[in-house]
Amino acid sequence: MLFHVRMDVHLPLDMPQDVAADIKAREKAYFQQLQREGKWRHIWRVVGEYSNYSIFDVADNTELHDVLSSLPLFPYMRIAVTPLCRHPSSLHADDR
């Protein structure tokens, strides 16, 4: 299943920089692992915000929840999820 996910990150202002850097490094490594596995298909920054729009390709709602809740930045995120399905007028087979 495909999901459109908006993630807004809100790190505490008083979080030590070394702690934030460690969380971000672990987040990047996990993100890249999910990309290699084909689960995190696309990511775009939202200009001027500490946010992104992403497309996930996972088996179901439970897998998406497991993936998102395993993100190191998860405790500091506001997340909005929209399930997607292929549009019948699409000419692209990869729009599944």
Side-chain angles (χ1 to χ4, degrees), residues 51-63:
S51 304
N52 70 71
Y53 288 113
S54 295
I55 302 295
F56 287 84
D57 188 357
V58 293
D60 53 29
N61 297 340
T62 300
E63 184 179 12

Side-chain angles (χ1 to χ4, degrees), residues 4 9 13 20 22 26 33 42 54 64 68 77 79 85 95:
H4 171 271
V9 180
L13 296 176
D22 177 65
R26 289 186 291 116
Q33 172 191 332
H42 302 281
S54 295
L64 180 65
L68 294 176
M77 289 183 177
I79 298 173
C85 63
D95 285 348

Side-chain angles (χ1 to χ4, degrees), residues 2-6 56 61 64-65 68 79-84:
L2 293 178
F3 294 91
H4 171 271
V5 179
R6 178 179 172 133
F56 287 84
N61 297 340
L64 180 65
H65 176 77
L68 294 176
I79 298 173
V81 176
T82 304
L84 302 172

